[in-house]
Amino acid sequence: MATTFEDAWSVARDVDGWLLESQGRALFEAAQRVPQGTVAVEIGSHRGKSAVLIAMGLPEGVRLTAVDPFDDPRWGGGPESLDMFRANLEKAGVLDRVDLFRGLSEEASAQWTGLPVGFLWVDGAHDIESTLKDFDGWMPHLSKGAELYVHDAFSAVGTTRAILKRFWFSPTVQYTGCARTLVKFRVQPLTLSQRISSFFGITSRLPFFLRMVAIKVSRRRGLHGLERRFMTVDNEPLI
Ligand SMILES: C[S@@+](CC[C@H](N)C(=O)[O-])C[C@H]1O[C@@H](n2cnc3c(N)ncnc32)[C@H](O)[C@@H]1O
């Protein structure tokens, strides 16, 4: 019987991480569409929450490469996070579908000799320099029509600046939607009307970004009442 999102989420929801269920569903469904003859690549694996969802969604025979140095203290990195990553993939029954590159995204992209990348999930460091390296390093390895998903978009300032810098009026990267802070793109040559519609799609996320900045500033200043006002949309947490 085919794996469903509910099967995958029943494992992934207990893994420590920062994904909303709607974002987990978006990853699982994107993984189901990864074409044969290509691979999925994940930048930033932590303890395997997103890797479990992607690997469980992939069609038979399609593999995931997970890239993470597992040593970044900002996310509690260290040998234990690598052990937990492996244990969570094993629990999900997908350890044998995942190749691990233990190192930085820029090292992995520079050395890449694998199949074209049909799905790229960017969830590593969220500063502008790292995110630009993620985009620029992997872009030459993407297959035509590849899907590119980015986490903490229009939330982290660095990630947002990198998206605006590279994709705002790009001739090849089309905004296709979002699940809160997860933003979706497709990479293929665009017509002028696709470029214009992508430009407005990205622009439409800017009010959300201002709201996220307001939350962060309120939090830093100890203005918790204000922070709570910005924090929910339709009674759901914003992030
Ligand atoms: C936000 S966490 C990833 C969360 C993970 N995707 C999940 O679903 O739980 C960020 C991860 O990116 C890793 N990281 C930071 N900089 C990186 C880089 N340049 N290349 C690859 N991984 C990086 C960190 O070690 C950390 O584990």
Side-chain angles (χ1 to χ4, degrees), residues 17-18 43-46 49-50 67-69 72 75 104-105 123-125:
W18 298 266
I43 302 167
S45 298
H46 188 55
K49 195 176 189 92
S50 50
V67 180
D68 197 311
D72 192 329
W75 288 275
L104 295 172
S105 160
D123 192 16

Side-chain angles (χ1 to χ4, degrees), residues 63-86:
R63 301 185 63 78
L64 167 67
T65 295
V67 180
D68 197 311
F70 293 100
D71 66 357
D72 192 329
R74 285 175 296 179
W75 288 275
E80 68 293 345
S81 62
L82 178 54
D83 293 343
M84 284 182 192
F85 172 78
R86 287 207 178 99

Side-chain angles (χ1 to χ4, degrees), residues 166-174 190-191 194-195 198 202:
R166 288 291 185 271
F167 304 157
W168 212 352
F169 196 55
S170 165
T172 50
V173 180
Q174 181 178 20
L190 303 183
T191 62
Q194 285 172 324
R195 280 180 81 177
S198 178
I202 291 175

